[in-house]
Amino acid sequence: MDQTSALARIHFLRSEINRHNRLYYQQDQPEISDAEYDRLLNELIRLEDQWASYISLDESPTQRVGAPPLDKFPTFKHSPPMLSLANAFTEDDIRDFQGRIGRSLKPTGLIAYVAEPKIDGIAVNLLYEKGVFKAGATRGDGQYGEEVTLNLKTVRTVPLRLQTISGKPVPERVEIRGEIYMTIDGFNKLNERREIAGEPLFANPRNAAAGSLRQLDSRITAQRPLSIFCYAIGGEVAGYDFATHWEVLQTLQQWGLPVNEHVRRADTIEACVQYYRNTLDMREHLPYEIDGVVIKVDSLILQDELGSAARTPKWAIACKFPPMQETTIIEDIEVNVGRTGVLTPVALVKPVQVGGVTVSRISLHNQDEIDRKDVRIGDTAVIQRAGDVIPELVMVVASKRSGTEQPFKMPTRCPVCAASVSRAEGEVAHRCMNSDCPARRKAQIIYFASRGAMDIDGLGEKLIAQLFDAGEIRDPSDLYTLDREKLLAMDRMADKSTDKVIDAIVASKHPPLEKFILALGIPNVGEHVARLLVRQFRTLEGIASASEEDVGMIDGIGPVIARNIATYFRESRTMGLLKKLKAAGVVPKEDSIRHSALTGKTFVFTGRLQHHTREEAEGTVHALGGNTSKSVSKKVDYVVAGEEAGSKLEKAKSLNIPILNEEDFMRLASNAAIESDF
Ligand code: IVH
């Protein structure tokens, strides 16, 4: 093919593929099969490869298939910063919003609003230069985000080039703000695939979207069903003089950026309240999750006049929805035996969609909870799910009882090993008393390999359960004796997945000492206590040989836990396990705790962080020798408040505990890291 016809063909293929993308992703009306689509795309990839020196790849649909993985994401500065929103929870809060606006503006005529669904996803910023998508980033702390351009290019509804509007040139430079989300259907299908592959499931569409967008390998992101709605422009745009937010939304749409179809103009605050009600009714019929509505003052002049508080504009408010509830039937109550022998009752409910996500199992926690809520097998129950939270049972509907419902009593014998079950004085938990119970041993190995502990990738619950049931592993040290044959004999294990698991097992041999201690699963020894032990005794040897008194001297470890720890290390089983682990080459790193300005300081994180996951932020504190806690008390040194922080923030204020935003925290941590003794 000569150059002219090759370039013409490339041009043709690009516009055809873009057209099919629109038909498929935006209009839901595909004209060709997936196989035909792939043929077009592959032809384009081949031609572009061949003629790469004559053409720009920037806006080609081939960019959407992903690129080789990055080591880390570069930092991206948002200009202006990406703000977040103040919350309203009731209709009166919405009316108060209008009251505040009225008071801070010079007397003015009627104030008009724009009301929009609040999409429950991840905020992003898209930078277009001369109409071409150049870079994009997550919100981060509002000022700096992570640049995830390659990942955003794989999102089919993010246009790689803006369309011109009736001959008017597209802006030289414009930042577009929007929300990346995953449809509920896409989320359910993704989880089905993950379940088959034995991978951990995402809790909800928002987490799935966040996890997908923050993949270092954009080829993985390309396989995730992500989409975008755009809702604002960051800053001024040369050549465009918008008077209202409504005009902005229309322009976004004309540029080819997806704008939610349910955005409305509202002339009064009462119309906004009505919109809130209507949208609440509509919520369960939408193909994506929304967690409220956003109300914005329409006039940009008034927006300017109102200005912003620290991190939230005064001209907009997020009106949150209550959690989603459904009723279902409790078909049975199953008892699970955990790693410390605790018996947890789990309600098996008739599968029900709560906001589109299927719920079939709900933890009932313990017998006291069951008694308090008077839960019986056969009962009709109200269950709820709120955004990020695990589904829970709200109450049973006693009026729906037929009389055949069965009260539940914890078994007196372990459902797995039939050993006796007992409930210690003052404890809510029932426990299986057999320390050799197979259910406990299996759960211990699962815990050992899990993400927070030894972090052995690919070695999930299902695979461990199979290996255990097949008699291949009896304790954690046996993981290090697994070979390819043993793994390949398990369901759904192919060559590639087997190699990955073997690599991950080998890679886990030198964990930080505190992770190793945690992984042992000593009763009541969580991350916090594990760290205290490492800080005090420094070596595995030191911890294992410490007496009950030595351990009890540590500030933060009470007498019961001190006894547990000392007893654990005296048991012959423990000594055997440690010996076997050592023989298998598992040698923890003993210098992983740093001494820095954060050493000994306790942090509580609350609300949604933008720049990090909660685990990452806590990991930073731990690596610098600090502690983290889940609850606010006088012993806490700092509370880091993310978006939508609630009661913990209030409590911190009332106790006069210093409150940091994410940015302050990052500054504090990086200073501490620079000045630390490592
Ligand atoms: S406007 C300055 N509009 O909600 C205003 N935000 O809690 C910036 N969100 O970080 C946000 N849908 O991630 C706006 N229609 C919408 C939205 C929306 C979802 C998210 C966004 C923001 C968070 C604020």
Side-chain angles (χ1 to χ4, degrees):
M1 204 185 284
D2 65 27
Q3 185 182 338
T4 321
S5 30
L7 295 186
R9 181 76 186 156
I10 288 175
H11 190 71
F12 168 78
L13 287 169
R14 285 182 179 181
S15 74
E16 262 307 89
I17 291 169
N18 282 333
R19 191 172 69 85
H20 289 301
N21 279 342
R22 280 196 300 276
L23 285 169
Y24 186 94
Y25 291 101
Q26 279 169 11
Q27 290 153 30
D28 213 7
Q29 277 177 335
E31 277 177 8
I32 55 173
S33 69
D34 289 359
E36 276 170 277
Y37 177 89
D38 288 344
R39 259 198 302 282
L40 294 178
L41 192 63
N42 287 332
E43 185 188 347
L44 180 58
I45 292 175
R46 222 171 351 101
L47 281 175
E48 283 184 349
D49 235 22
Q50 207 175 339
W51 300 93
S53 39
Y54 300 94
I55 43 162
S56 146
L57 294 179
D58 265 0
E59 52 194 289
S60 169
T62 54
Q63 301 296 298
R64 301 209 188 269
V65 296
L70 304 173
D71 290 335
K72 67 194 251 295
F73 296 118
T75 302
F76 183 96
K77 185 171 171 45
H78 306 297
S79 56
M82 292 177 77
L83 300 177
S84 93
L85 296 173
N87 287 326
F89 295 96
T90 63
E91 295 186 353
D92 278 342
D93 291 348
I94 302 178
R95 298 187 181 101
D96 288 350
F97 167 62
Q98 149 113 333
R100 282 198 299 279
I101 290 177
R103 284 192 295 280
S104 48
L105 286 178
K106 297 197 268 314
T108 155
L110 282 182
I111 301 164
Y113 300 92
V114 173
E116 308 173 7
K118 183 169 185 301
I119 312 299
D120 199 9
I122 307 300
V124 292
N125 186 15
L126 310 174
L127 170 65
Y128 286 86
E129 281 174 2
K130 297 190 171 53
V132 178
F133 176 55
K134 280 291 176 199
T138 59
R139 179 175 177 279
D141 61 8
Q143 209 159 17
Y144 294 95
E146 283 177 319
E147 196 213 298
V148 289
T149 311
L150 294 172
N151 295 356
L152 284 166
K153 279 190 175 174
T154 71
V155 178
R156 300 300 197 277
T157 47
V158 170
L160 298 175
R161 170 184 274 282
L162 299 180
Q163 290 164 23
T164 45
I165 308 170
S166 51
K168 189 171 176 172
V170 289
E172 265 300 300
R173 182 181 195 286
V174 60
E175 288 190 12
I176 312 282
R177 308 288 159 85
E179 194 88 353
I180 292 283
Y181 67 95
M182 191 178 283
T183 59
I184 298 170
D185 192 42
F187 161 80
N188 283 329
K189 289 201 176 112
L190 172 64
N191 260 357
E192 274 164 36
R193 289 205 303 272
R194 291 176 72 83
E195 172 134 47
I196 291 172
E199 289 161 345
L201 303 187
F202 288 111
N204 52 52
R206 187 191 122 85
N207 285 3
S212 303
L213 192 61
R214 297 188 65 255
Q215 282 289 335
L216 287 166
D217 187 343
S218 53
R219 292 169 300 196
I220 297 179
T221 313
Q223 287 157 24
R224 302 282 173 82
L226 296 177
S227 214
I228 191 167
F229 283 125
C230 298
Y231 48 69
I233 286 179
E236 309 264 294
V237 189
Y240 286 76
D241 194 12
F242 301 108
T244 62
H245 178 60
W246 189 249
E247 264 176 56
V248 171
L249 291 181
Q250 280 178 322
T251 305
L252 292 178
Q253 197 156 23
Q254 288 167 342
W255 281 336
L257 295 154
V259 171
N260 188 278
E261 58 173 325
H262 300 291
V263 298
R264 294 285 180 272
R265 256 206 303 192
D267 285 332
T268 62
I269 202 72
E270 283 314 310
C272 295
V273 170
Q274 193 56 47
Y275 179 88
Y276 174 80
R277 289 184 199 150
N278 296 346
T279 312
L280 184 55
D281 287 343
M282 182 173 72
R283 158 164 74 160
E284 59 181 308
H285 306 295
L286 291 175
Y288 42 83
E289 296 213 312
I290 60 176
D291 56 346
V293 303
V294 182
I295 296 172
K296 304 173 181 173
V297 169
D298 191 24
S299 155
L300 299 189
I301 296 183
L302 293 186
Q303 284 191 5
D304 247 13
E305 204 177 316
L306 286 162
S308 293
R311 266 167 319 205
T312 58
K314 294 186 186 159
W315 44 264
I317 194 157
C319 317
K320 304 299 283 282
F321 287 154
M324 287 164 287
Q325 296 193 334
E326 281 300 332
T327 42
T328 181
I329 307 285
I330 299 177
E331 295 180 324
D332 204 354
I333 296 179
E334 180 186 274
V335 175
N336 285 350
V337 186
R339 118 192 110 78
T340 55
V342 171
L343 270 50
T344 305
V346 178
L348 306 183
V349 300
K350 190 158 179 256
V352 62
Q353 305 261 314
V354 191
V357 173
T358 310
V359 177
S360 54
R361 301 165 61 85
I362 298 180
S363 172
L364 298 174
H365 308 294
N366 53 55
Q367 182 75 51
D368 284 1
E369 270 297 288
I370 294 182
D371 295 345
R372 197 173 62 76
K373 293 181 174 161
D374 188 19
V375 182
R376 304 182 195 177
I377 298 167
D379 262 341
T380 300
V382 178
I383 61 176
Q384 74 176 20
R385 185 172 78 81
D388 276 357
V389 185
I390 297 168
E392 55 180 2
L393 187 141
V394 185
M395 58 171 210
V396 296
V397 190
S399 61
K400 291 243 168 124
R401 282 186 181 150
S402 66
T404 56
E405 293 74 18
Q406 293 295 315
F408 172 84
K409 274 279 156 284
M410 216 43 126
T412 51
R413 300 224 153 248
C414 170
V416 177
C417 72
S420 66
V421 164
S422 92
R423 177 178 177 169
E425 190 69 35
E427 269 197 28
V428 287
H430 286 74
R431 287 174 201 272
C432 162
M433 299 313 285
N434 172 11
S435 58
D436 208 32
C437 171
R440 291 179 63 167
R441 280 195 282 121
K442 198 194 291 186
Q444 276 160 8
I445 307 176
I446 292 170
Y447 181 77
F448 181 86
S450 67
R451 192 135 71 114
M454 299 290 277
D455 194 14
I456 311 181
D457 228 20
L459 198 55
E461 219 171 303
K462 293 227 163 96
L463 182 55
I464 294 179
Q466 276 189 67
L467 288 161
F468 187 90
D469 295 340
E472 299 292 3
I473 51 176
R474 286 179 50 82
D475 70 40
S477 70
D478 295 331
L479 295 174
Y480 297 90
T481 65
L482 289 173
D483 54 24
R484 297 191 87 242
E485 261 118 287
K486 288 181 186 166
L487 283 165
L488 272 170
M490 299 296 126
D491 285 353
R492 303 198 198 100
M493 290 300 285
D495 279 334
K496 222 171 123 192
S497 41
T498 301
D499 287 343
K500 268 170 86 174
V501 173
I502 299 253
D503 288 350
I505 293 175
V506 173
S508 75
K509 286 188 175 177
H510 305 292
L513 180 55
E514 65 275 18
K515 295 279 181 197
F516 180 82
I517 296 292
L518 178 77
L520 293 175
I522 309 165
N524 303 102
V525 177
E527 277 179 55
H528 175 62
V529 174
R531 253 190 327 278
L532 294 178
L533 288 171
V534 174
R535 189 159 323 124
Q536 181 71 21
F537 302 112
R538 296 269 173 170
T539 62
L540 177 56
E541 171 78 340
I543 296 171
S545 59
S547 69
E548 188 180 325
E549 291 72 42
D550 293 340
V551 179
M553 299 281 278
I554 301 176
D555 193 19
I557 300 189
V560 178
I561 300 181
R563 164 142 354 120
N564 280 347
I565 295 168
T567 314
Y568 175 85
F569 284 105
R570 302 290 167 283
E571 282 169 7
S572 60
R573 254 162 67 96
T574 308
M575 294 197 263
L577 175 64
L578 292 178
K579 218 160 135 191
K580 275 172 73 185
L581 282 166
K582 191 169 174 191
V586 181
V587 181
K589 288 192 293 242
E590 298 187 330
D591 59 357
S592 49
I593 293 227
R594 289 181 169 206
H595 286 260
S596 77
L598 301 197
T599 302
K601 297 273 189 274
T602 301
F603 286 72
V604 170
F605 290 86
T606 176
R608 220 183 246 175
L609 298 181
Q610 294 289 335
H611 208 64
H612 307 86
T613 62
R614 183 72 68 85
E615 289 76 40
E616 285 166 356
E618 290 181 341
T620 304
V621 172
H622 300 157
L624 290 164
N627 304 317
T628 54
S629 162
K630 299 277 171 239
S631 56
V632 179
S633 69
K634 272 191 282 185
K635 291 190 189 151
V636 170
D637 297 285
Y638 297 101
V639 168
V640 182
E643 257 186 56
E644 290 166 28
S647 59
K648 290 186 197 172
L649 176 58
E650 295 309 314
K651 182 147 185 212
K653 283 183 190 158
S654 72
L655 291 174
N656 274 329
I657 297 172
I659 295 162
L660 309 178
N661 63 28
E662 193 175 358
E663 224 173 297
D664 303 331
F665 166 68
M666 280 157 61
R667 206 170 306 124
L668 187 71
S670 62
N671 287 341
I674 293 165
E675 291 157 14
S676 72
D677 63 1
F678 278 81

